[in-house]
Amino acid sequence: MRCLVSGSTGSESRARDPEVLLLAPDLESAWDAFVKSHPEGTFFHLAGWREVLRRAFGHRTHYLVALAGGEVRGVLPLAEVKSLFFGHSLVSTPFCVYGGIVAADETAKAALEARACALARELGVDHLEMRNRRRQHPDWPVKDLYVTFRKAIDADSEKNLLAIPRKQRAMVRKGIQKGLRSEIDARPDRHYAMYSESLRNLGTPVFSKRYLEILQDVFGEDCEILTVIHEAAPVASVLSFYFRDEVLPYYGGGTLAARSVSGNDFMYWSVMERAREGGRRLFDYGRSKRGTGSFDFKTYWGFEPEPLYYEYFLVKRREMPNLSPTNPKYEAMIRIWRKLPIALTRLLGPPVAKHLG
C-alpha cells in the first residue's frame, strides 16, 4: 500500500505543481463552483458540509484545496472522527455516501493524496478512508459492502411509473388509492419522530434532531423534507438533497401504519414526481448494504446496484475497520437497542451516532 508522492524533479515542473492548503472562507464559493462543474463532484463534496460536521458533531475538519495560479484544481473534504470505542479516523466524508478527491488533473490529484496521507500520519489516526464511486487506489484495501442506486428520471410521469416493476408499481397505486398526500415541512419535527422510531426498530442509534436543523440551515432549499399524510396523520417522511439535476432522498422513515397503506412507496414516488416537476433528471436512491432489506427494496423498484469503493490507507491499523451493523460483535447491542423505549434511544443515540458516520 502506498501514497502517491506529489512533485517533480525538474524546477520548471515543480513551479507548475499546485499548492495544497486548508480551505479558507474566501475560497468557499470557488470550491463549490469547482465541485458543481466537475463530473465527479457530488453534493457531499460541497463546502457546507464542513460547517455541518463542526456544528452538529464537533468533528475537526481538514478541507484540502489544490490551487495553481490562484485557480482551484482539486478538492478533498476530510473530517477527523475520534472515539475511545470506535477508534480514530480521517474520513472523506463522514455521514456522507460519497467523498474522496475531485481533481482537474493527475497532478492535483497526486498532490491532494500525498497531503492527505501525510496528514493522516501527523494526526496519528488509525486509518484514512476515501468514499469513492469508482476505484481510485488499486493498491489500497477496499470494502465491498456498500452499493448505490442511481436512475434517470423521465420527463414523462407515466413512463417513470411504468419503469417501476409491476409489484412495486401496484404499491404506489395503492398509496394513491388510499388517499395519501405529501406535504413539505419547514422543520424536522415530524420527520425526526418517524425517522428515530425507524432506526430504533433497526437497532441503530439515531443522531440528534439538531443535526437535521443544521442541514436545513446550511443547505436551504437544497435540503427538503417531504412528509406523507394518511387521514390527517403523518405516516412517513424523508429528507432529500438537491444537487445539479439530481435528487437524493437521504434520511427516510415511517410508522408501522405506513406499511398497510404503502406509505414508503408513495413517499419515494412523491419525491420522484416533485423532482421531475422541478426539472431534475436523476434519482439517487442512496447507499445500502448488500443483503439488507433496504438493498432489496431498491432493487424491487427496478434500480440496479452500483458498487461503491470505500478505500483505506492504513496508518495504525493492520486491517480495515468494520463498524457495520452486520458485524457479529454488535449483534447483542442491536438486540438490546431494539427493545429500548424510543424516548431513551433519542437521548442515548446522538452521543453514539456522532462516531458512526
Side-chain angles (χ1 to χ4, degrees):
M1 182 175 63
R2 64 185 179 86
C3 247
L4 296 177
V5 179
S6 178
S8 308
T9 55
S11 58
E12 183 179 348
S13 295
R14 283 198 300 271
R16 293 197 301 266
D17 284 348
E19 182 180 16
V20 177
L21 304 170
L22 287 174
L23 176 63
D26 62 343
L27 277 175
E28 288 183 356
S29 295
W31 172 297
D32 282 349
F34 178 81
V35 168
K36 292 176 182 179
S37 66
H38 196 286
E40 293 187 355
T42 75
F43 182 82
F44 306 105
H45 286 93
L46 293 174
W49 279 98
R50 181 172 66 160
E51 181 180 350
V52 170
L53 294 170
R54 287 174 175 173
R55 287 172 56 187
F57 306 111
H59 292 323
R60 185 181 177 192
T61 58
H62 308 268
Y63 272 45
L64 304 180
V65 56
L67 296 175
E71 178 185 355
V72 174
R73 302 297 295 165
V75 302
L76 174 56
L78 292 166
E80 197 176 344
V81 182
K82 194 172 186 178
S83 163
L84 289 175
F85 188 73
F86 298 112
H88 186 193
S89 59
L90 189 61
V91 185
S92 180
T93 308
F95 294 93
C96 298
V97 176
Y98 314 127
I101 296 171
V102 176
D105 51 57
E106 288 299 319
T107 303
K109 177 183 175 183
L112 286 165
E113 181 183 309
R115 182 65 194 115
C117 292
L119 180 62
R121 295 189 186 98
E122 292 166 14
L123 296 172
V125 300
D126 299 322
H127 63 270
L128 164 66
E129 177 182 340
M130 301 281 206
R131 300 181 174 180
N132 305 310
R133 285 190 58 212
R134 64 181 180 88
R135 196 80 158 99
Q136 300 277 2
H137 307 92
D139 55 342
W140 289 17
V142 62
K143 184 176 293 182
D144 183 27
L145 176 64
Y146 296 107
V147 298
T148 190
F149 297 83
R150 293 161 59 87
K151 191 175 184 180
I153 302 174
D154 198 277
D156 186 322
S157 175
E158 188 64 18
K159 288 184 179 179
N160 290 322
L161 187 59
L162 292 175
I164 303 172
R166 182 174 58 84
K167 185 176 180 180
Q168 293 306 116
R169 185 167 68 244
M171 300 294 279
V172 174
R173 293 193 189 278
K174 178 181 176 181
I176 295 171
Q177 292 164 2
K178 290 286 186 179
L180 300 185
R181 58 186 175 84
S182 61
E183 298 177 351
I184 302 301
D185 287 356
R187 293 185 51 79
D189 301 53
R190 295 194 298 184
H191 171 82
Y192 188 74
M194 289 179 278
Y195 184 66
S196 58
E197 179 180 347
S198 295
L199 288 196
R200 191 285 305 267
N201 294 340
L202 292 170
T204 303
V206 70
F207 40 69
S208 68
K209 185 171 70 173
R210 178 63 178 153
Y211 169 50
L212 303 182
E213 294 170 343
I214 292 171
L215 286 172
Q216 288 186 302
D217 180 48
V218 171
F219 294 115
E221 294 181 353
D222 290 331
C223 176
E224 183 177 88
I225 295 175
L226 181 145
T227 297
V228 174
I229 310 297
H230 178 242
E231 296 180 349
V235 295
S237 186
V238 61
L239 181 148
S240 301
F241 299 127
Y242 290 101
F243 179 73
R244 293 191 297 227
D245 65 344
E246 305 174 14
V247 61
L248 301 87
Y250 204 63
Y251 293 124
T255 64
L256 291 177
R259 296 182 182 179
S260 62
V261 295
S262 300
N264 290 314
D265 288 282
F266 179 84
M267 176 177 72
Y268 289 114
W269 170 249
S270 297
V271 171
M272 185 178 290
E273 275 292 272
R274 184 168 173 80
R276 180 191 62 81
E277 292 167 358
R280 312 289 176 167
R281 291 293 173 261
L282 194 140
F283 191 95
D284 188 323
Y285 232 147
R287 181 181 77 179
S288 290
K289 297 182 231 11
R290 299 178 189 274
T292 63
S294 171
F295 178 98
D296 292 340
F297 181 82
K298 293 169 185 178
T299 58
Y300 295 157
W301 264 66
F303 283 65
E304 292 292 331
E306 301 176 13
L308 291 175
Y309 300 95
Y310 286 16
E311 300 175 329
Y312 295 85
F313 176 70
L314 303 179
V315 181
K316 291 185 174 180
R317 280 188 180 273
R318 295 193 175 185
E319 58 184 21
M320 291 186 295
N322 184 6
L323 302 182
S324 166
T326 59
N327 187 337
K329 69 182 287 187
Y330 301 127
E331 285 181 359
M333 188 184 304
I334 290 171
R335 285 196 301 270
I336 294 171
W337 198 270
R338 286 172 173 164
K339 297 177 180 179
L340 295 177
I342 293 175
L344 184 58
T345 64
R346 291 173 184 159
L347 177 66
L348 299 178
V352 179
K354 67 179 289 185
H355 301 296
L356 296 176

